[in-house]
Amino acid sequence: MGQGFLQISFTLCIAIAIVPILGRYMARVFLGERTILDFLMNPIERSFFVLAGVRTKDDLTAWQYIRAVLYSNLIMGILVYLLIFYQRLLPWNPNSFDAPSWDILLHTVVSFITNTGQQHYSGETTLSYFSQVAAVGFLMFTSAATGLAVGIAFIRGLTGKKLGNFYVDLTRAITRILLPISIIGAIALVICGVPQTLDGTLVVQTLEGRTQYIPRGPVASFEMIKMLGDNGGGFFGVNSAHPYENPNGAANLIEIIAMIAIPTSLIYTYGIFAKNIKQAWLLFWMVFVVFVILISVTVSAEQQGNLLINGTLGLEQANLEGKEIRLGAVQTALWAVITTATACGAVNGMHDSLMPEGLFSTLFNLFLRMIWGGQGIGTAYLFIYLILTVFLAGLIVGGTPEFLGRKIERREIILASLVLLIYPIVVLIPSAITLAYPLSLSGITNPGFHGISQVVYEYASAGANNGSGLKGLNNTTLWWNLSTCFSMFAGRYIPMMAILLLSEGMSRKPLIQATPSSFKTDSLLFTTATAGLVVILGMLAFFPVLILGPIAEGFKLAAGS
């Protein structure tokens, strides 16, 4: 346990050290200030803007920003659908893969364009190298950049600035942040042993005289943007549990840091925009405390192992089911909490094999959506909770509900409520329909409480644009493909629209002189109140599901049945 504690502490210390560095750099990028990459990227960006007819100084209204997001995502989705559909006719297809079925293909496109990365297929047996790189890899960059751009637009509006230009934000997110870090990270992964090749499947003869087929491909470049952009979809079916995606402890550390770097640093970026670093650090530590608690709960349970199995065998050992021995129980548990906290969804072990405490932690992360969260959107969720805390605190004590010197009124509360309410709708309603037809729709392979968790987790992951899942669920059917498409689409774009409209409304409000009744949102007391409200509001709709799923399973296991 001591070694595991040191590993976790070392990883978290690196993540914390990166926050002010990357947070300050991202603020400079989106504030239009000089950066180290200007000499290289400025000519490229100017050429692109001229060809695309983008006026870089034109600020968009909320509805213009929304239309730009929707239209661009629609065009990219159609393009990627066609690329995969005709992959047999395109280059870099050494295994001569044909197009998958239309519903799998639709699910794949919606999954990656919404930055979800939920996979109902195995990449090494379904997609050509060209489809992996030019189709899926392309969406990994653009979907992450879209979320980042919307998150920055939200921060701008919240701090009294205009929303900016979506096309400029999208481009700079790719050229100044995602692409440079991905190149450096991919080189580091190649050094760690991750393959980067266009050669086809390797055929070898085993010592027993049998033939073994070893898939490979341009994995390192794919893996890095998958982690950095919190996409989560793997080059191989078993994702980052595959030795070619995550071969050793060094690669595992690089991928964890890539996964958490941008979401954590965006809080510091907000602090620079708002000129209130104190509040940024308070919010950071608020989220960090909850994050560490969930890590502790999950790691302790996995280290303790399954009491029934340990009692039968007469020994004490960690829960190693569904885990790679080269990584161990501690690193798998840490990864499970981080990947659901950041909305990444990549896995280095099977979440279906987690102890009930670990399953509770991962579902808790998915339900809240703001413990770091995804690219930009998670930060927006954090401030949605903050706005609601200001409003409710004002109702309780009779103070004026203000945030950053601007009044919070009826319109802001309606939009904030919409952001929080849409998620339970896209999770609980499809889950209820699916559980009502266990034979024809659900494909549950585990009866009882764990079977309920399987179904709810699939929709929670889709609605949160996370992508991880509890394997063993027969989710390749028409029902699962179409219903999760609905959850991914609605869980992505409806909150995006609401937070952009909310931020524009806040940006247009006049500044109000602070009075004795105004709340100080950069105090420890207010931050603590926000944490309490997050837990109450975030779990209100989902606590019955947790009772029927991991909590009931945990009690059953403790009772020895």
Side-chain angles (χ1 to χ4, degrees), residues 63-101:
W63 280 112
Q64 288 173 331
Y65 210 101
I66 289 167
R67 285 195 293 270
V69 170
L70 296 178
Y71 292 161
S72 62
N73 281 216
L74 176 63
I75 293 171
M76 288 186 288
I78 294 173
L79 173 63
V80 168
Y81 188 98
L82 293 175
L83 287 177
I84 299 176
F85 185 81
Y86 291 107
Q87 68 177 356
R88 190 176 185 86
L89 305 176
L90 296 173
W92 299 355
N93 189 7
N95 298 310
S96 300
F97 289 141
D98 208 340
S101 63

CSV table of all heavy atoms in Angstrom, one decimal, residues 63-101:
chain,number,residue,atom,x,y,z
A,63,TRP,N,-26.0,33.0,-30.5
A,63,TRP,CA,-26.7,32.2,-31.5
A,63,TRP,C,-25.8,31.9,-32.7
A,63,TRP,O,-25.8,30.9,-33.4
A,63,TRP,CB,-28.0,32.8,-32.0
A,63,TRP,CG,-29.1,32.5,-31.0
A,63,TRP,CD1,-29.8,33.4,-30.2
A,63,TRP,CD2,-29.7,31.2,-30.7
A,63,TRP,NE1,-30.7,32.7,-29.4
A,63,TRP,CE2,-30.7,31.4,-29.7
A,63,TRP,CE3,-29.4,29.9,-31.2
A,63,TRP,CZ2,-31.4,30.3,-29.2
A,63,TRP,CZ3,-30.2,28.8,-30.7
A,63,TRP,CH2,-31.2,29.1,-29.7
A,64,GLN,N,-25.0,33.0,-33.1
A,64,GLN,CA,-24.0,32.8,-34.2
A,64,GLN,C,-23.0,31.7,-33.8
A,64,GLN,O,-22.6,30.9,-34.6
A,64,GLN,CB,-23.4,34.1,-34.5
A,64,GLN,CG,-24.3,35.1,-35.2
A,64,GLN,CD,-23.6,36.5,-35.4
A,64,GLN,OE1,-22.8,36.9,-34.6
A,64,GLN,NE2,-24.0,37.2,-36.4
A,65,TYR,N,-22.5,31.8,-32.6
A,65,TYR,CA,-21.5,30.8,-32.1
A,65,TYR,C,-22.1,29.4,-32.1
A,65,TYR,O,-21.5,28.4,-32.5
A,65,TYR,CB,-21.1,31.2,-30.6
A,65,TYR,CG,-19.7,30.8,-30.3
A,65,TYR,CD1,-18.7,31.7,-30.3
A,65,TYR,CD2,-19.4,29.5,-29.9
A,65,TYR,CE1,-17.4,31.4,-29.9
A,65,TYR,CE2,-18.1,29.1,-29.6
A,65,TYR,CZ,-17.1,30.1,-29.6
A,65,TYR,OH,-15.8,29.7,-29.2
A,66,ILE,N,-23.4,29.3,-31.7
A,66,ILE,CA,-24.1,28.0,-31.6
A,66,ILE,C,-24.2,27.4,-33.0
A,66,ILE,O,-23.9,26.3,-33.3
A,66,ILE,CB,-25.5,28.1,-31.0
A,66,ILE,CG1,-25.3,28.4,-29.5
A,66,ILE,CG2,-26.3,26.9,-31.2
A,66,ILE,CD1,-26.6,28.8,-28.8
A,67,ARG,N,-24.6,28.3,-34.0
A,67,ARG,CA,-24.8,27.9,-35.4
A,67,ARG,C,-23.5,27.4,-35.9
A,67,ARG,O,-23.4,26.4,-36.7
A,67,ARG,CB,-25.4,28.9,-36.2
A,67,ARG,CG,-26.9,29.1,-36.0
A,67,ARG,CD,-27.6,30.0,-37.1
A,67,ARG,NE,-27.1,31.3,-37.1
A,67,ARG,CZ,-27.7,32.3,-36.4
A,67,ARG,NH1,-28.7,32.0,-35.6
A,67,ARG,NH2,-27.2,33.5,-36.4
A,68,ALA,N,-22.4,28.2,-35.6
A,68,ALA,CA,-21.1,27.8,-36.1
A,68,ALA,C,-20.7,26.4,-35.6
A,68,ALA,O,-20.1,25.6,-36.3
A,68,ALA,CB,-20.0,28.8,-35.7
A,69,VAL,N,-20.9,26.1,-34.3
A,69,VAL,CA,-20.6,24.8,-33.7
A,69,VAL,C,-21.4,23.7,-34.4
A,69,VAL,O,-20.9,22.7,-34.8
A,69,VAL,CB,-20.9,24.8,-32.2
A,69,VAL,CG1,-20.9,23.4,-31.7
A,69,VAL,CG2,-20.0,25.7,-31.5
A,70,LEU,N,-22.7,23.9,-34.6
A,70,LEU,CA,-23.6,22.9,-35.1
A,70,LEU,C,-23.3,22.6,-36.6
A,70,LEU,O,-23.2,21.5,-37.0
A,70,LEU,CB,-25.1,23.3,-34.9
A,70,LEU,CG,-25.6,23.4,-33.5
A,70,LEU,CD1,-27.0,23.8,-33.5
A,70,LEU,CD2,-25.4,22.0,-32.8
A,71,TYR,N,-23.1,23.7,-37.4
A,71,TYR,CA,-22.9,23.5,-38.8
A,71,TYR,C,-21.5,22.9,-39.1
A,71,TYR,O,-21.4,21.9,-39.9
A,71,TYR,CB,-22.9,24.9,-39.5
A,71,TYR,CG,-24.3,25.5,-39.6
A,71,TYR,CD1,-24.4,26.9,-39.8
A,71,TYR,CD2,-25.4,24.8,-39.4
A,71,TYR,CE1,-25.7,27.5,-39.9
A,71,TYR,CE2,-26.7,25.4,-39.4
A,71,TYR,CZ,-26.8,26.7,-39.7
A,71,TYR,OH,-28.0,27.3,-39.7
A,72,SER,N,-20.5,23.3,-38.4
A,72,SER,CA,-19.2,22.7,-38.6
A,72,SER,C,-19.2,21.3,-38.1
A,72,SER,O,-18.6,20.4,-38.8
A,72,SER,CB,-18.1,23.5,-37.8
A,72,SER,OG,-18.4,23.5,-36.4
A,73,ASN,N,-19.8,21.0,-37.0
A,73,ASN,CA,-19.8,19.6,-36.5
A,73,ASN,C,-20.6,18.7,-37.5
A,73,ASN,O,-20.3,17.5,-37.7
A,73,ASN,CB,-20.4,19.5,-35.1
A,73,ASN,CG,-19.4,19.9,-34.1
A,73,ASN,OD1,-19.4,19.3,-33.0
A,73,ASN,ND2,-18.5,20.8,-34.3
A,74,LEU,N,-21.7,19.2,-38.1
A,74,LEU,CA,-22.5,18.4,-39.0
A,74,LEU,C,-21.7,18.1,-40.3
A,74,LEU,O,-21.7,17.0,-40.7
A,74,LEU,CB,-23.8,19.2,-39.4
A,74,LEU,CG,-24.6,18.6,-40.5
A,74,LEU,CD1,-25.2,17.2,-40.0
A,74,LEU,CD2,-25.8,19.5,-40.9
A,75,ILE,N,-21.0,19.1,-40.8
A,75,ILE,CA,-20.2,18.9,-42.0
A,75,ILE,C,-19.1,17.9,-41.7
A,75,ILE,O,-18.8,17.0,-42.5
A,75,ILE,CB,-19.6,20.2,-42.5
A,75,ILE,CG1,-20.7,21.1,-43.0
A,75,ILE,CG2,-18.6,20.0,-43.6
A,75,ILE,CD1,-20.3,22.5,-43.3
A,76,MET,N,-18.4,18.0,-40.6
A,76,MET,CA,-17.3,17.1,-40.2
A,76,MET,C,-17.9,15.7,-40.0
A,76,MET,O,-17.2,14.7,-40.4
A,76,MET,CB,-16.6,17.6,-39.0
A,76,MET,CG,-15.7,18.8,-39.2
A,76,MET,SD,-14.8,19.3,-37.7
A,76,MET,CE,-16.0,19.9,-36.7
A,77,GLY,N,-19.1,15.6,-39.4
A,77,GLY,CA,-19.7,14.3,-39.2
A,77,GLY,C,-20.0,13.6,-40.6
A,77,GLY,O,-19.7,12.4,-40.7
A,78,ILE,N,-20.5,14.3,-41.5
A,78,ILE,CA,-20.9,13.7,-42.8
A,78,ILE,C,-19.6,13.3,-43.5
A,78,ILE,O,-19.5,12.2,-44.1
A,78,ILE,CB,-21.6,14.8,-43.7
A,78,ILE,CG1,-23.0,15.0,-43.1
A,78,ILE,CG2,-21.8,14.3,-45.1
A,78,ILE,CD1,-23.8,16.1,-43.7
A,79,LEU,N,-18.6,14.1,-43.5
A,79,LEU,CA,-17.3,13.8,-44.1
A,79,LEU,C,-16.7,12.5,-43.5
A,79,LEU,O,-16.3,11.6,-44.3
A,79,LEU,CB,-16.3,15.0,-43.9
A,79,LEU,CG,-14.9,14.7,-44.4
A,79,LEU,CD1,-14.8,14.5,-45.9
A,79,LEU,CD2,-14.0,15.9,-44.0
A,80,VAL,N,-16.7,12.4,-42.2
A,80,VAL,CA,-16.1,11.2,-41.6
A,80,VAL,C,-17.0,10.0,-41.9
A,80,VAL,O,-16.4,8.9,-42.1
A,80,VAL,CB,-16.0,11.4,-40.1
A,80,VAL,CG1,-15.7,10.1,-39.3
A,80,VAL,CG2,-14.9,12.5,-39.8
A,81,TYR,N,-18.3,10.1,-41.9
A,81,TYR,CA,-19.2,9.0,-42.2
A,81,TYR,C,-18.8,8.4,-43.6
A,81,TYR,O,-18.7,7.2,-43.8
A,81,TYR,CB,-20.6,9.4,-42.2
A,81,TYR,CG,-21.6,8.3,-42.3
A,81,TYR,CD1,-22.2,7.7,-41.2
A,81,TYR,CD2,-21.9,7.8,-43.6
A,81,TYR,CE1,-23.1,6.7,-41.3
A,81,TYR,CE2,-22.8,6.7,-43.7
A,81,TYR,CZ,-23.4,6.2,-42.6
A,81,TYR,OH,-24.3,5.2,-42.7
A,82,LEU,N,-18.6,9.3,-44.6
A,82,LEU,CA,-18.3,8.9,-45.9
A,82,LEU,C,-16.9,8.3,-46.0
A,82,LEU,O,-16.7,7.3,-46.7
A,82,LEU,CB,-18.4,10.1,-46.9
A,82,LEU,CG,-19.8,10.7,-47.1
A,82,LEU,CD1,-19.7,12.0,-47.9
A,82,LEU,CD2,-20.7,9.7,-47.7
A,83,LEU,N,-15.9,8.8,-45.3
A,83,LEU,CA,-14.6,8.3,-45.3
A,83,LEU,C,-14.6,6.8,-44.8
A,83,LEU,O,-13.9,6.0,-45.4
A,83,LEU,CB,-13.6,9.1,-44.4
A,83,LEU,CG,-13.2,10.5,-45.0
A,83,LEU,CD1,-12.3,11.2,-44.0
A,83,LEU,CD2,-12.5,10.3,-46.3
A,84,ILE,N,-15.3,6.6,-43.7
A,84,ILE,CA,-15.3,5.2,-43.2
A,84,ILE,C,-16.2,4.3,-44.1
A,84,ILE,O,-15.8,3.1,-44.3
A,84,ILE,CB,-15.9,5.2,-41.7
A,84,ILE,CG1,-14.9,6.0,-40.8
A,84,ILE,CG2,-16.0,3.8,-41.2
A,84,ILE,CD1,-15.4,6.2,-39.4
A,85,PHE,N,-17.2,4.8,-44.6
A,85,PHE,CA,-18.1,4.0,-45.5
A,85,PHE,C,-17.4,3.5,-46.7
A,85,PHE,O,-17.6,2.4,-47.2
A,85,PHE,CB,-19.3,4.9,-45.9
A,85,PHE,CG,-20.4,4.1,-46.7
A,85,PHE,CD1,-21.3,3.3,-46.0
A,85,PHE,CD2,-20.4,4.2,-48.0
A,85,PHE,CE1,-22.2,2.5,-46.7
A,85,PHE,CE2,-21.4,3.5,-48.8
A,85,PHE,CZ,-22.3,2.6,-48.1
A,86,TYR,N,-16.5,4.4,-47.2
A,86,TYR,CA,-15.7,4.0,-48.4
A,86,TYR,C,-14.3,3.6,-48.1
A,86,TYR,O,-13.4,3.8,-49.0
A,86,TYR,CB,-15.7,5.2,-49.4
A,86,TYR,CG,-17.1,5.4,-50.0
A,86,TYR,CD1,-17.8,6.5,-49.7
A,86,TYR,CD2,-17.6,4.6,-51.0
A,86,TYR,CE1,-19.1,6.8,-50.2
A,86,TYR,CE2,-18.9,4.8,-51.6
A,86,TYR,CZ,-19.6,5.9,-51.2
A,86,TYR,OH,-20.8,6.1,-51.7
A,87,GLN,N,-14.0,3.2,-46.9
A,87,GLN,CA,-12.6,2.9,-46.5
A,87,GLN,C,-12.0,1.8,-47.4
A,87,GLN,O,-10.8,1.8,-47.5
A,87,GLN,CB,-12.6,2.5,-45.0
A,87,GLN,CG,-13.2,1.2,-44.6
A,87,GLN,CD,-13.0,0.9,-43.1
A,87,GLN,OE1,-12.3,1.6,-42.4
A,87,GLN,NE2,-13.6,-0.2,-42.7
A,88,ARG,N,-12.8,0.9,-47.9
A,88,ARG,CA,-12.2,-0.2,-48.7
A,88,ARG,C,-11.5,0.4,-50.0
A,88,ARG,O,-10.6,-0.2,-50.5
A,88,ARG,CB,-13.3,-1.2,-49.1
A,88,ARG,CG,-12.8,-2.4,-49.8
A,88,ARG,CD,-13.9,-3.5,-50.0
A,88,ARG,NE,-13.3,-4.7,-50.6
A,88,ARG,CZ,-12.8,-5.7,-49.8
A,88,ARG,NH1,-12.9,-5.6,-48.5
A,88,ARG,NH2,-12.4,-6.8,-50.4
A,89,LEU,N,-12.0,1.5,-50.5
A,89,LEU,CA,-11.5,2.1,-51.7
A,89,LEU,C,-10.3,3.1,-51.4
A,89,LEU,O,-9.7,3.6,-52.3
A,89,LEU,CB,-12.6,2.9,-52.4
A,89,LEU,CG,-13.9,2.1,-52.8
A,89,LEU,CD1,-14.9,3.0,-53.4
A,89,LEU,CD2,-13.5,0.9,-53.7
A,90,LEU,N,-10.1,3.4,-50.1
A,90,LEU,CA,-9.1,4.4,-49.8
A,90,LEU,C,-7.8,3.7,-49.3
A,90,LEU,O,-7.7,2.5,-49.1
A,90,LEU,CB,-9.6,5.2,-48.6
A,90,LEU,CG,-10.9,6.1,-49.0
A,90,LEU,CD1,-11.5,6.7,-47.8
A,90,LEU,CD2,-10.6,7.1,-50.1
A,91,PRO,N,-6.7,4.5,-49.3
A,91,PRO,CA,-5.4,3.9,-49.0
A,91,PRO,C,-5.3,3.5,-47.5
A,91,PRO,O,-6.2,3.7,-46.7
A,91,PRO,CB,-4.4,5.0,-49.3
A,91,PRO,CG,-5.2,6.3,-49.1
A,91,PRO,CD,-6.6,5.9,-49.6
A,92,TRP,N,-4.1,2.9,-47.1
A,92,TRP,CA,-3.8,2.5,-45.8
A,92,TRP,C,-4.8,1.6,-45.2
A,92,TRP,O,-5.3,1.7,-44.1
A,92,TRP,CB,-3.7,3.7,-44.8
A,92,TRP,CG,-2.6,4.7,-45.2
A,92,TRP,CD1,-1.7,4.6,-46.2
A,92,TRP,CD2,-2.4,6.0,-44.6
A,92,TRP,NE1,-0.9,5.7,-46.3
A,92,TRP,CE2,-1.3,6.6,-45.3
A,92,TRP,CE3,-3.0,6.7,-43.6
A,92,TRP,CZ2,-0.8,7.9,-45.0
A,92,TRP,CZ3,-2.5,7.9,-43.2
A,92,TRP,CH2,-1.4,8.5,-43.9
A,93,ASN,N,-5.1,0.6,-46.0
A,93,ASN,CA,-6.1,-0.5,-45.6
A,93,ASN,C,-5.5,-1.8,-45.8
A,93,ASN,O,-6.0,-2.6,-46.7
A,93,ASN,CB,-7.4,-0.3,-46.3
A,93,ASN,CG,-8.5,-1.2,-45.8
A,93,ASN,OD1,-8.4,-1.8,-44.7
A,93,ASN,ND2,-9.7,-1.2,-46.5
A,94,PRO,N,-4.4,-2.2,-45.1
A,94,PRO,CA,-3.7,-3.4,-45.4
A,94,PRO,C,-4.5,-4.7,-45.2
A,94,PRO,O,-4.2,-5.7,-45.8
A,94,PRO,CB,-2.5,-3.3,-44.5
A,94,PRO,CG,-2.9,-2.4,-43.4
A,94,PRO,CD,-3.8,-1.4,-44.0
A,95,ASN,N,-5.5,-4.6,-44.3
A,95,ASN,CA,-6.3,-5.7,-44.0
A,95,ASN,C,-7.6,-5.8,-44.8
A,95,ASN,O,-8.5,-6.7,-44.6
A,95,ASN,CB,-6.7,-5.8,-42.5
A,95,ASN,CG,-5.4,-5.9,-41.7
A,95,ASN,OD1,-4.6,-6.7,-41.9
A,95,ASN,ND2,-5.3,-5.0,-40.7
A,96,SER,N,-7.8,-4.8,-45.8
A,96,SER,CA,-8.9,-4.8,-46.7
A,96,SER,C,-10.3,-4.8,-45.9
A,96,SER,O,-11.2,-5.5,-46.3
A,96,SER,CB,-8.9,-6.0,-47.6
A,96,SER,OG,-7.7,-6.0,-48.4
A,97,PHE,N,-10.4,-4.0,-44.9
A,97,PHE,CA,-11.6,-3.9,-44.1
A,97,PHE,C,-12.7,-3.2,-45.0
A,97,PHE,O,-12.4,-2.2,-45.6
A,97,PHE,CB,-11.4,-3.1,-42.8
A,97,PHE,CG,-10.6,-3.8,-41.8
A,97,PHE,CD1,-9.7,-3.2,-41.0
A,97,PHE,CD2,-10.8,-5.2,-41.6
A,97,PHE,CE1,-9.0,-3.8,-40.1
A,97,PHE,CE2,-10.0,-5.9,-40.7
A,97,PHE,CZ,-9.1,-5.2,-39.9
A,98,ASP,N,-13.9,-3.7,-44.9
A,98,ASP,CA,-15.1,-3.0,-45.6
A,98,ASP,C,-15.7,-2.2,-44.5
A,98,ASP,O,-15.3,-2.1,-43.4
A,98,ASP,CB,-16.0,-4.1,-46.1
A,98,ASP,CG,-16.8,-3.6,-47.3
A,98,ASP,OD1,-16.9,-2.4,-47.4
A,98,ASP,OD2,-17.4,-4.4,-48.0
A,99,ALA,N,-16.8,-1.4,-44.9
A,99,ALA,CA,-17.5,-0.5,-44.0
A,99,ALA,C,-18.3,-1.4,-43.0
A,99,ALA,O,-18.8,-2.4,-43.3
A,99,ALA,CB,-18.4,0.4,-44.8
A,100,PRO,N,-18.3,-0.9,-41.7
A,100,PRO,CA,-19.2,-1.6,-40.7
A,100,PRO,C,-20.7,-1.3,-41.1
A,100,PRO,O,-21.0,-0.5,-42.0
A,100,PRO,CB,-18.8,-0.9,-39.4
A,100,PRO,CG,-18.2,0.4,-39.8
A,100,PRO,CD,-17.6,0.2,-41.2
A,101,SER,N,-21.6,-2.0,-40.4
A,101,SER,CA,-23.0,-1.8,-40.6
A,101,SER,C,-23.4,-0.3,-40.3
A,101,SER,O,-22.7,0.4,-39.6
A,101,SER,CB,-23.8,-2.7,-39.7
A,101,SER,OG,-23.6,-2.3,-38.3
